[in-house]
Amino acid sequence: MGYRKEVPAGCFTFEPLTKTGTNESKELRSGPTLTFGLFSCKGVSYYQIYKTKSSTITTTTDKSMRYEDSQCRIDYNLWADKGNAGFTFYNKTEETIHILLDESFYVLNGMAYDYYQNRSFTTSQATVLQTSSSLGLAKMSWLSLYNSASKTTTTGNTNAVTVTEAKVIAVPPKTARVVSEFEINRTLFRDCELVLYPSSRQVKARNFSEEDSPLKFYNIISYKVGTDEAVLKVKNDFYVSEIMNYPEKDVTKTVRTEFCNVKSTAVSRIFTASAPDKFYLHYVKPSNGGSRN
């Protein structure tokens, strides 16, 4: 799991990728626009952008896709390179909600993956202490001779802390927790209707229904409210409804950052096509050319 596979034209394969760190190691992005540095790699950049739909999401804004019931509010923002299947869970009740990771799953094209993976995370810090001293002084009549010998001593130790992954995440009343574990897809979709390295005139959409979508995924989130032993489950499902290939200039623009009405000299490139119900794959046309299709 996690390796890129070569995909023949007309085929579509997916592999969920576990992000490094704990379930809360990476926060969902708060807005639909992602700022990133200029790419230094050789070649021309392109983006394959995926649009999704959902039958269980009740509200979509420019910041998130939202599921909501009397107990909780769950927000998604899929916009990221390779997609972000994670979510922000908000507790609407007056009691602590416990998310049961060992009973929660990410499902991609019918294959289930565990949110709880019984991992341990170790961080270490090394401390080095170095001391030095000079020895020796001799005097003879009017001639002073300074004979010295230096000695350096180095000592060190390493402190390590190991944290075991929790099976349960507690969400206090009126607060939120982020659970972000899986990317959605890292393999380009190839199709005869989609030019791999299109010009602006060649950009077109490949549309799908829920039945023939090449990519369907959903989260099953299990939780308990307060001391109640009843396990509640939420299923948030998604499917890819549209795929398009774009040259970089069609979906990004260059801007200067601004603070207190003062523009910076630093230049960044931002997306103009971002949205919480979309995600993308960045790919590069080699500088030596390559096939247009």
Side-chain angles (χ1 to χ4, degrees):
M1 182 172 67
Y3 294 97
R4 176 182 291 276
K5 292 184 177 179
E6 294 296 328
V7 183
C11 296
F12 203 12
T13 64
F14 300 91
E15 294 189 42
L17 305 174
T18 303
K19 298 181 185 296
T20 302
T22 65
N23 288 299
E24 296 181 275
S25 62
K26 183 173 181 182
E27 294 184 356
L28 292 177
R29 293 169 174 83
S30 59
T33 301
L34 175 65
T35 303
F36 56 95
L38 296 173
F39 288 106
S40 60
C41 55
K42 295 180 180 179
V44 180
S45 287
Y46 289 82
Y47 291 89
Q48 184 163 95
I49 295 183
Y50 302 73
K51 182 177 176 60
T52 66
K53 291 184 178 180
S54 172
S55 61
T56 56
I57 296 298
T58 55
T59 306
T60 300
T61 68
D62 61 344
K63 295 183 181 298
S64 72
M65 304 172 71
R66 176 172 295 175
Y67 166 86
E68 189 167 7
D69 59 26
S70 60
Q71 312 283 356
C72 65
R73 185 173 71 228
I74 303 174
D75 287 292
Y76 291 86
N77 188 342
L78 308 181
W79 186 257
D81 192 9
K82 304 176 185 66
N84 184 356
F87 54 90
T88 301
F89 187 103
Y90 179 78
N91 180 1
K92 295 172 61 177
T93 74
E94 299 296 333
E95 300 182 82
T96 298
I97 285 181
H98 294 89
I99 301 176
L100 310 177
L101 292 181
D102 57 338
E103 297 184 38
S104 299
F105 305 93
Y106 172 64
V107 180
L108 175 65
N109 283 352
M111 293 296 295
Y113 300 90
D114 300 311
Y115 267 102
Y116 174 68
Q117 299 179 39
N118 195 27
R119 296 166 295 187
S120 295
F121 304 94
T122 301
T123 58
S124 61
Q125 182 177 7
T127 303
V128 177
L129 177 63
Q130 180 172 301
T131 59
S132 61
S133 60
S134 296
L135 305 172
L137 178 62
K139 289 186 178 180
M140 184 170 57
S141 185
W142 52 270
L143 181 63
S144 294
L145 301 177
Y146 182 70
N147 300 318
S148 66
S150 62
K151 180 181 180 182
T152 301
T153 303
T154 302
T155 59
N157 58 70
T158 301
N159 297 319
V161 177
T162 300
V163 177
T164 302
E165 182 177 13
K167 287 185 179 181
V168 178
I169 295 178
V171 188
K174 311 302 181 185
T175 67
R177 297 290 293 264
V178 174
V179 179
S180 186
E181 185 64 49
F182 298 103
E183 293 172 339
I184 301 170
N185 173 53
R186 65 179 301 176
T187 306
L188 283 172
F189 174 71
R190 299 301 309 278
D191 188 270
C192 295
E193 296 184 22
L194 295 176
V195 177
L196 183 59
Y197 305 118
S199 65
S200 297
R201 292 182 179 180
Q202 293 174 311
V203 173
K204 64 180 299 186
R206 176 72 162 88
N207 296 300
F208 305 94
S209 66
E210 185 172 4
E211 288 71 29
D212 66 3
S213 175
L215 177 56
K216 304 176 186 179
F217 58 99
Y218 58 89
N219 281 314
I220 298 176
I221 306 166
S222 302
Y223 66 92
K224 294 180 179 180
V225 179
T227 58
D228 193 342
E229 289 300 314
V231 176
L232 304 177
K233 293 183 182 291
V234 171
K235 177 183 176 181
N236 296 142
D237 65 322
F238 306 86
Y239 72 93
V240 168
S241 61
E242 179 184 276
I243 300 176
M244 301 179 73
N245 293 340
Y246 289 95
E248 183 180 43
K249 64 183 180 65
D250 282 16
V251 291
T252 66
K253 66 179 180 180
T254 300
V255 298
R256 295 187 183 276
T257 56
E258 186 174 319
F259 181 74
C260 294
N261 297 321
V262 178
K263 289 189 175 182
S264 168
T265 56
V267 177
S268 297
R269 191 179 292 276
I270 65 170
F271 286 105
T272 57
S274 58
D277 60 347
K278 297 178 180 180
F279 64 95
Y280 65 92
L281 280 176
H282 169 244
Y283 61 103
V284 177
K285 181 180 181 180
S287 56
N288 61 357
S291 171
R292 176 168 295 276
N293 292 316

